[in-house]
Amino acid sequence: MIIGGSAGSLEVLLQVIPKLIDIKPFALILVLHRKSSEDNTLEELIALKTALPVKPVEDKTALIPGSIYIAPADYHLLFEKDCTFALDISEKIHYSRPSIDVAFESAAEVFGKTLVAILLSGANADGTRGLKAVKSHGGIAIVQDPATAEMPFMPQSAIDGGAADRIMDVQQITTYIQSIALKV
């Protein structure tokens, strides 16, 4: 499962993540727009909110179910066919690196119909093209209800672009993730 977001998305994650007790059937990957710096404030903040293992993504490391991974600042996040991460420093997309589009598209190619991608609050169109890729590969594309987003432009762009399978508020997103964790 992969979640992308920008301005206003951290507040959503700080509501959702503490409620996730067990995600053994899948890994949760967070791709958030953030400042281009090497500080670990985001990882530390997320780790304070959960008992689940929180790991920064490192190049060529294996993705392990049951963990929360956070894309590093200033790198695009890609996925290899052998379920390892790859980091890339190609040009920014939508003024962002990591780009949500790049991460969603790469995840869609590797994980296909098993992928769930969730796009949260943000102030640009990043994520719309990526969600379309998720849908075209048979995955599930979920968008935060723009009415509940601090910055509704990003989720509204996905909806307007026909990229959303489902539109959910924060509580529905939490319940949905919990329901997947309980399926196995």
Side-chain angles (χ1 to χ4, degrees):
M1 177 175 298
I2 185 166
I3 299 177
S6 189
S9 64
L10 181 58
E11 291 75 11
V12 174
L13 291 172
L14 293 178
Q15 293 176 53
V16 172
I17 287 178
K19 296 175 182 164
L20 303 179
I21 306 302
D22 185 359
I23 58 168
K24 283 182 186 165
F26 58 89
L28 179 60
I29 299 120
L30 306 179
V31 181
L32 303 181
H33 294 167
R34 54 201 280 201
K35 292 180 182 174
S36 300
S37 68
E38 293 186 15
D39 79 35
N40 295 324
T41 306
L42 178 61
E43 289 84 354
E44 292 168 2
L45 180 60
I46 297 293
L48 284 173
K49 300 295 181 182
T50 182
L52 298 170
V54 176
K55 303 175 181 181
V57 171
E58 295 181 14
D59 196 37
K60 307 304 178 202
T61 58
L63 189 155
I64 299 170
S67 298
I68 297 173
Y69 292 91
I70 301 175
D74 216 23
Y75 289 93
H76 290 306
L77 177 62
L78 301 167
F79 299 86
E80 302 288 346
K81 295 284 184 200
D82 63 357
C83 293
T84 58
F85 294 107
L87 298 177
D88 178 90
I89 56 168
S90 59
E91 68 184 69
K92 294 181 178 181
I93 298 176
H94 294 289
Y95 310 102
S96 303
R97 191 173 50 216
S99 161
I100 298 166
D101 279 336
V102 169
F104 282 8
E105 288 170 336
S106 178
E109 290 176 13
V110 171
F111 300 108
K113 65 181 181 181
T114 66
L115 180 66
V116 174
I118 302 173
L119 184 64
L120 302 176
S121 176
N124 69 27
D126 196 16
T128 297
R129 195 181 74 218
L131 280 182
K132 287 181 177 177
V134 171
K135 286 180 65 164
S136 73
H137 284 82
I140 297 172
I142 298 171
V143 175
Q144 181 183 359
D145 182 345
T148 68
E150 183 178 321
M151 295 289 180
F153 188 88
M154 186 178 283
Q156 189 64 54
S157 173
I159 293 167
D160 293 346
D165 289 317
R166 301 176 191 177
I167 301 166
M168 299 180 177
D169 65 24
V170 176
Q171 181 55 50
Q172 290 168 323
I173 290 170
T174 304
T175 302
Y176 183 80
I177 296 171
Q178 290 170 325
S179 72
I180 292 174
L182 294 174
K183 282 184 180 175
V184 177

